[in-house]
Amino acid sequence: MQTWEQQKYLSKLPDAKGAAYNDRLWEYEDHCLPDTRVELRQKIMDWFEDPNGEYIFWLNGMAGTGKSTISRTVAWELAEKKRLAASFFFSRDHGDISHAGQFFTTIAAQLTRSLPVLRPLISQAIQEHSDIWNQRLSEQWKYLILDPLKNAPAQSIQLVVVIDALDECDSTDDIQMILKLLAQAKCLETIQLRVLVASRPETPILLGFRNFPRERYQDFVLHNIPPPIVNHDISIFFRRKLSSVKSEPGLSTTPWPGEPIIQRLVEKADGLFIYAATIYRFIRDDNYTPEDQLSVILEDHNTPPQSPTKHLDDMYTKLLQQSVVGSQIVRVDDHLAVRFRNIVGSIIILFDIMAAKEIAKLLHVRTIATTLASLRSVLSVPEDEDQPVRIFHPSFRDFLLDSHRCLDSRFLIDPKEAHITLFRNCIMVLAELRQDLCNLREPGVSVGDIPEHIIQRYIPAHIYYACRYWFHHFQLGNPIQEDMDRILRFLAQDFLHWLEALSLIREVSNGVLIVADLEMTLRVS
Amino acid sequence: MKGVMLNRKGKLGVCPRLLEFADDARQFILHNRSIIEMAPLQVYSAALLFTPEASIVRKQYLKRIPWILMEPKVMQKWSPLIQILNGINGHASQINTVVFSPDGKLVASASDDFTVRLWNPATGGPCGVLQRHLGRVTAVVF
């Protein structure tokens, strides 16, 4: 096959947006500081260099123990050594990387770049199995990855696939299937494929590993590292990061904020790196002096009974009280808090990420920039307005949705309320659709003949989102009677416009499933 | 047009009109999936025009299509036939066997056109073509 012909086939491979460790999406994420996590990083390097090492390394850790930062650092180090085969960073709120649908095709696409000898083999596989991306995961794995690696010209080497946050993949069946398939890498002899998996210790993953013989994988439990080692690393982080916040040249020789305070912060962090990283972003906030922010954090609270997340929850609470409402006095009707729940509540349950401008349009508010600006320690809000808003860490979402953890009711998000609000907003967006949205005029125009930029112009992100997800929000919300009226009005006025839009964004099959589920849901409610 | 009635327990009740509409919408999209997938504006012409007389979607939307002078004669009700597996986007010849996968998530059809095609039974959409046979395919099993 000619090179151009290979390229033609390879370009068809679905390549999930945001999956790779170095994707633009992760631009401002931290790497491990030098001198931190030393032992663990060494252990990982030893593992993949060892020709007799296990096939899978499972980095197992609770929320906030630093898994993603380690994965990112290791992926980068492996790439420097030219030993990274591929990386896939799952994230539950991002379309393509919240599910397994494009997992193997993305790994295959990255393999064609990291190991060019595979290009002819993988393009051949695509030619022979047209539509492979619609086939089962086991087929995708076999034809796009396993067979090409088996048949590649001999070159004895161990390469690593880094998979982060596997627990954020939306289907537990798929998680177990992925683990089961990856374990087949054992049969590879010349090019050996090793897999580094980072995840929370959640049941489907525990079960997935339980099916493996012990000699196939090695695991490492982050939350079981002895506290002195973790505390040492966290204190390095605080010392280095905080002294950069406030350097007063010539005034003092001891760096701010001083060792006793650093020790208090380390104690509060209680082994969680996310605590340290969030505090750092909070103290750095330009609208306040670092001393004021620090004193808010250090203030001791009457805290409820002990729980493993007590310190973290306490920190999130203080941070929101300071940044959102500027007070600890609870008044639930506070309009700032209402705005917070509307905007942040939506952001944490959206099925896909969007830029701030697009979220504002979806929520029918003029702008959300002011609310977001006060939340830069927990939300990643890019200067570039076209880049998506993200939450920095899933523990923030967990916190907001849990009434045992988020004790200030002004910030507590009721997911059912948030879903139904989004449903109503989606339905309002769909009511703005009209016949012949793209001004095609000719009824016979085929969807393949419409340029992509035209479709994107007339179906911007918030309309796209509403078309795809209105029903999912309805299903997860707690509808009242008026919501049923909304559905009837939608069917009577906008149904065909919606079908036209689905055709333009090539989501008609999803539409079929939505309408079937809708009928079923109505029948049983 | 009220979508909901409150039943005795104070739970949400769904009015028959909404249920009928949703059911008709489901039939509409299932019967017309492949034409809508190909050409977005056919939603308002081919899909709507050949929809049975009794369809709520038809009654609701047909009056909005200004350029139709004479409607074609169509069936009274939705036909139980939802999809034909040969023709455009399907087999090019006679089909010999159709079989469900054990988990019910896939349908395979074997044809004289030398191929086996896979289908998603929930959406009717194609899931792949096995095309390395060198002759008519007369049987297929999972």
Side-chain angles (χ1 to χ4, degrees):
Chain A
M1 215 189 288
Q2 301 283 323
T3 319
W4 65 267
E5 211 179 342
Q6 285 175 14
Q7 191 52 43
K8 188 184 87 185
Y9 284 110
L10 294 177
S11 65
K12 290 185 183 175
L13 268 184
D15 193 352
K17 245 171 75 184
Y21 81 99
N22 56 352
D23 192 274
R24 175 86 164 91
L25 188 62
W26 313 111
E27 173 122 34
Y28 299 107
E29 298 290 330
D30 281 328
H31 280 232
C32 296
L33 290 173
D35 315 330
T36 62
R37 326 253 40 181
V38 177
E39 216 173 306
L40 171 59
R41 279 153 69 191
Q42 189 55 46
K43 202 172 165 115
I44 295 175
M45 289 299 153
D46 291 346
W47 158 73
F48 94 83
E49 296 278 8
D50 177 2
N52 302 315
E54 297 83 355
Y55 296 94
I56 299 188
F57 190 108
W58 179 25
L59 192 59
N60 162 358
M62 313 276 266
T65 47
K67 296 179 295 293
S68 297
T69 306
I70 297 169
S71 304
R72 202 173 301 111
T73 309
V74 169
W76 176 77
E77 285 171 346
L78 289 167
E80 290 284 292
K81 294 184 176 134
K82 304 222 175 300
R83 303 294 283 277
L84 182 70
S87 57
F88 199 103
F89 280 55
F90 279 102
S91 178
R92 107 184 74 177
D93 50 3
H94 299 37
D96 288 353
I97 50 175
S98 63
H99 59 83
Q102 300 186 4
F103 178 74
F104 287 117
T105 57
T106 302
I107 303 266
Q110 292 186 27
L111 276 171
T112 64
R113 298 189 281 270
S114 57
L115 211 58
V117 292
L118 294 177
R119 294 175 67 89
L121 295 155
I122 295 179
S123 49
Q124 183 78 26
I126 300 171
Q127 188 192 18
E128 285 169 14
H129 305 270
S130 60
D131 251 12
I132 180 83
W133 33 87
N134 287 327
Q135 295 176 22
R136 290 195 263 193
L137 292 179
S138 54
E139 258 119 274
Q140 297 181 17
W141 157 252
K142 178 171 164 31
Y143 295 121
L144 293 176
I145 299 171
L146 198 60
D147 287 352
L149 284 170
K150 251 188 226 165
N151 300 327
Q155 182 187 17
S156 199
I157 189 169
Q158 291 99 260
L159 293 174
V160 183
V161 176
V162 176
I163 303 168
D164 187 54
L166 182 57
D167 53 286
E168 297 199 29
C169 173
D170 69 357
S171 148
T172 54
D173 289 344
D174 286 347
I175 289 177
Q176 296 188 18
M177 180 55 73
I178 286 177
L179 288 173
K180 189 177 138 204
L181 294 171
L182 289 173
Q184 296 173 0
K186 172 180 166 291
C187 68
L188 293 170
E189 279 165 4
T190 43
I191 305 176
Q192 287 189 26
L193 203 61
R194 300 289 175 80
V195 186
L196 175 71
V197 177
S199 81
R200 296 191 193 182
E202 280 172 8
T203 321
I205 296 173
L206 289 169
L207 289 176
F209 277 109
R210 190 167 301 161
N211 294 331
F212 293 164
R214 263 316 286 199
E215 67 276 10
R216 293 266 187 92
Y217 75 97
Q218 144 159 196
D219 61 356
F220 190 94
V221 183
L222 278 173
H223 46 271
N224 289 351
I225 300 178
I229 297 179
V230 180
N231 289 347
H232 167 81
D233 288 352
I234 292 181
S235 65
I236 291 183
F237 177 89
F238 275 130
R239 246 175 251 130
R240 202 154 312 162
K241 292 286 192 174
L242 292 186
S243 63
S244 72
V245 170
K246 198 167 182 302
S247 44
E248 293 169 276
L251 276 183
S252 163
T253 47
T254 45
W256 190 78
E259 208 50 29
I261 288 182
I262 292 207
Q263 285 316 315
R264 274 181 73 193
L265 288 173
V266 170
E267 217 169 279
K268 278 175 171 291
D270 198 19
L272 293 183
F273 279 82
I274 185 60
Y275 185 99
T278 311
I279 286 202
Y280 163 62
R281 287 191 293 263
F282 180 65
I283 291 178
R284 207 179 44 178
D285 189 330
D286 291 337
N287 296 325
Y288 302 89
T289 68
E291 287 88 346
D292 287 350
Q293 298 291 83
L294 186 62
S295 67
V296 169
I297 292 296
L298 290 175
E299 209 172 279
D300 272 319
H301 249 267
N302 291 329
T303 37
Q306 287 294 338
S307 85
T309 54
K310 173 179 164 294
H311 290 293
L312 186 66
D313 298 345
D314 198 34
M315 176 200 62
Y316 279 139
T317 305
K318 287 175 180 168
L319 180 155
L320 291 177
Q321 286 171 340
Q322 170 87 347
S323 317
V324 178
V325 288
S327 122
Q328 293 178 8
I329 306 154
V330 178
R331 289 204 334 267
V332 182
D333 58 340
D334 195 322
H335 74 281
L336 289 170
V338 172
R339 195 162 71 180
F340 170 87
R341 289 197 300 272
N342 181 32
I343 295 171
V344 180
S346 298
I347 289 174
I348 65 170
I349 61 155
L350 282 175
F351 291 107
D352 205 348
I353 44 166
M354 276 191 269
K357 280 194 299 199
E358 295 157 352
I359 297 173
K361 281 190 195 139
L362 182 65
L363 299 182
H364 298 90
V365 294
R366 201 173 51 79
T367 172
I368 61 170
T370 22
T371 307
L372 295 186
S374 62
L375 289 168
R376 282 178 190 273
S377 47
V378 282
L379 294 177
S380 155
V381 186
E383 297 293 332
D384 179 350
E385 283 194 289
D386 292 326
Q387 289 295 315
V389 177
R390 301 188 295 108
I391 55 174
F392 268 120
H393 196 262
S395 63
F396 182 56
R397 179 196 288 113
D398 300 346
F399 163 77
L400 288 176
L401 292 172
D402 187 340
S403 60
H404 300 291
R405 296 181 55 183
C406 179
L407 299 170
D408 185 333
S409 56
R410 291 174 299 181
F411 307 119
L412 182 64
I413 307 292
D414 175 351
K416 285 179 179 292
E417 275 305 313
H419 276 295
I420 208 70
T421 305
L422 271 171
F423 157 75
R424 290 172 195 149
N425 279 312
C426 287
I427 284 285
M428 277 164 73
V429 168
L430 295 178
E432 294 159 21
L433 294 174
R434 59 177 178 81
Q435 188 169 337
D436 195 5
L437 199 56
C438 296
N439 300 322
L440 302 173
R441 299 214 168 83
E442 296 294 324
V445 179
S446 146
V447 69
D449 293 337
I450 310 168
E452 202 50 44
H453 72 270
I454 296 285
I455 295 176
Q456 277 173 13
R457 184 189 322 153
Y458 291 104
I459 306 190
H462 69 288
I463 298 183
Y464 181 94
Y465 185 89
C467 285
R468 284 202 60 174
Y469 296 115
W470 67 269
F471 176 68
H472 303 86
H473 288 302
F474 172 76
Q475 246 183 339
L476 294 171
N478 50 347
I480 56 169
Q481 304 190 32
E482 283 77 3
D483 295 312
M484 300 295 184
D485 294 342
R486 287 185 173 96
I487 292 190
L488 187 52
R489 219 174 307 132
F490 161 75
L491 288 174
Q493 292 173 8
D494 311 307
F495 179 58
L496 294 195
H497 301 154
W498 176 60
L499 292 186
E500 180 198 336
L502 286 180
S503 171
L504 290 164
I505 61 175
R506 294 177 165 84
E507 289 285 348
V508 178
S509 284
N510 259 327
V512 178
L513 298 175
I514 288 176
V515 177
D517 281 352
L518 170 68
E519 200 224 337
M520 194 98 81
T521 311
L522 293 177
R523 214 170 270 287
V524 297
S525 67
Chain B
M1 214 187 321
K2 275 282 166 208
V4 167
M5 301 177 298
L6 212 59
N7 67 17
R8 257 170 292 148
K9 283 184 232 147
K11 266 180 63 183
L12 290 177
V14 180
C15 82
R17 162 102 179 139
L18 176 55
L19 259 183
E20 278 166 28
F21 213 141
D23 182 50
D24 195 60
R26 186 178 63 87
Q27 297 272 12
F28 185 86
I29 187 167
L30 267 179
H31 280 85
N32 295 300
R33 182 190 54 76
S34 81
I35 180 88
I36 297 173
E37 243 164 24
M38 274 188 284
L41 296 182
Q42 290 298 314
V43 171
Y44 311 98
S45 41
L48 203 52
L49 277 179
F50 296 102
T51 292
E53 299 252 356
S55 156
I56 306 176
V57 173
R58 177 191 178 94
K59 287 184 199 149
Q60 185 70 27
Y61 288 93
L62 197 58
K63 55 180 183 279
R64 296 200 194 172
I65 311 293
W67 48 266
I68 296 170
L69 295 175
M70 215 165 70
E71 300 158 18
K73 201 93 194 100
V74 291
M75 281 189 294
Q76 181 60 25
K77 291 204 167 122
W78 288 108
S79 139
L81 172 71
I82 289 175
Q83 189 176 354
I84 298 173
L85 300 184
N86 50 11
I88 303 175
N89 295 336
H91 288 292
S93 183
Q94 167 186 323
I95 295 169
N96 298 310
T97 317
V98 178
V99 62
F100 270 95
S101 66
D103 63 2
K105 289 183 179 164
L106 221 50
V107 167
S109 55
S111 162
D112 277 357
D113 68 0
F114 297 14
T115 68
V116 170
R117 284 180 179 267
L118 301 172
W119 310 87
N120 176 343
T123 65
C127 292
V129 191
L130 312 176
Q131 45 195 9
R132 305 193 88 188
H133 276 277
L134 301 172
R136 293 190 266 186
V137 192
T138 53
V140 57
V141 282
F142 276 93

